[in-house]
Amino acid sequence: MANLEKIKNIIKKISMMGEIKEHICFFGGCMPYIIHGKDSFREHSDIDVLVDVDYMDYLRTLLQEEGCYNPERDSINLGLDKDYGLKVFIDGVYVEFEPMSLQDGIFTRMSFVEEKQKAGVEKLPYINVEDIMIPIEFDGVRVYSKTPELIKVGKEKYMREKDIQDVAFINEHGFDTAKYLRAQEMFYKRIVEVDTFDNLKGMKL
């Protein structure tokens, strides 16, 4: 069932929590449609949010105040070596908050999958922050979104039915070719480190 309007309302709700909106970036298949003000006519099962690693504890406080924080789905309560983010439900939609940093030309993203007992770190080299995220406005709200070019490259890795639709939409509505080529290069040079929960417990960095 198509639910983009609901997704937009949840994104607005998250962006209005405290002073967090300048420190988060939304990504995933819903964002190209929101950027262009179009409907996707499909269901979006989740919302992905990058969070400046220095603001993760602040985010946790905000989620607790909103009554949607679940300590059982928070990586810091799983005995791992560092903060891999957390997951919550907001208005019935699954939202994953992933710590990220932009430092010394490296975009680092952390995530975990408790069902598979795995956690990982993704590192992409970048030159311009604008190749990773851009400010957008919709319904009078300003938020940061991962670039359509980076979303396109990520989806071209999988090309599931929903990815095919989203890539076709981005192609139809246009994208920056130079940014897209840089995004391809970022993915070509990226480093992904994945390990099991057992191995990560007590690890020293």
Side-chain angles (χ1 to χ4, degrees):
M1 181 183 298
N3 68 340
L4 189 61
E5 284 302 314
K6 182 174 185 177
I7 296 294
K8 288 166 64 177
N9 287 334
I10 296 172
I11 288 175
K12 286 188 283 187
K13 177 180 287 190
I14 294 170
S15 71
M16 290 187 286
M17 292 181 183
E19 303 296 327
I20 198 67
K21 76 173 183 177
E22 293 299 320
H23 309 287
I24 59 176
C25 173
F26 297 91
F27 68 107
C30 63
M31 296 313 297
Y33 302 94
I34 294 174
I35 289 171
H36 290 285
K38 304 291 184 180
D39 198 341
S40 62
F41 299 105
R42 72 169 175 86
E43 182 177 14
H44 297 271
S45 59
D46 58 11
I47 299 172
D48 301 305
V49 191
L50 298 168
V51 185
D52 184 328
V53 66
D54 293 330
Y55 286 83
M56 284 298 299
D57 287 340
Y58 176 54
L59 172 69
R60 289 180 171 94
T61 298
L62 295 176
L63 293 173
Q64 289 170 353
E65 291 174 354
E66 291 290 325
C68 56
Y69 174 73
N70 182 352
E72 295 181 359
R73 307 207 74 179
D74 188 342
S75 67
I76 65 171
N77 297 322
L78 300 178
L80 304 178
D81 60 320
K82 52 183 172 289
D83 190 346
Y84 289 90
L86 66 138
K87 304 172 184 184
V88 301
F89 281 94
I90 298 178
D91 296 341
V93 174
Y94 183 75
V95 183
E96 181 169 2
F97 294 96
E98 301 180 355
M100 67 94 179
S101 65
L102 298 164
Q103 189 172 11
D104 300 327
I106 301 295
F107 165 53
T108 303
R109 178 171 72 100
M110 321 281 287
S111 62
F112 72 103
V113 182
E114 65 270 40
E115 294 85 356
K116 296 182 178 181
Q117 293 283 290
K118 291 183 178 181
V121 180
E122 179 186 54
K123 298 180 179 181
L124 283 77
Y126 73 95
I127 297 175
N128 303 310
V129 174
E130 294 79 8
D131 287 339
I132 298 172
M133 61 184 71
I134 55 173
I136 67 166
E137 289 191 17
F138 71 96
D139 297 348
V141 176
R142 181 181 184 275
V143 300
Y144 284 97
S145 168
K146 190 181 274 191
T147 66
E149 294 80 14
L150 205 52
I151 293 172
K152 173 176 159 67
V153 170
K155 285 185 165 290
E156 286 172 340
K157 288 174 48 200
Y158 301 103
M159 293 306 276
R160 298 159 295 189
E161 183 178 348
K162 65 179 183 178
D163 300 318
I164 293 171
Q165 176 187 330
D166 298 342
V167 168
F169 178 86
I170 294 170
N171 291 342
E172 178 185 352
H173 288 81
F175 59 91
D176 186 312
T177 302
K179 271 190 177 184
Y180 174 68
L181 292 175
R182 290 195 294 271
Q184 284 186 314
E185 184 175 2
M186 288 165 61
F187 264 81
Y188 177 74
K189 294 180 177 178
R190 76 178 181 144
I191 297 173
V192 178
E193 302 167 350
V194 179
D195 213 335
T196 65
F197 280 11
D198 284 342
N199 287 342
L200 291 169
K201 290 178 181 178
M203 278 180 57
K204 303 296 184 182
L205 294 187

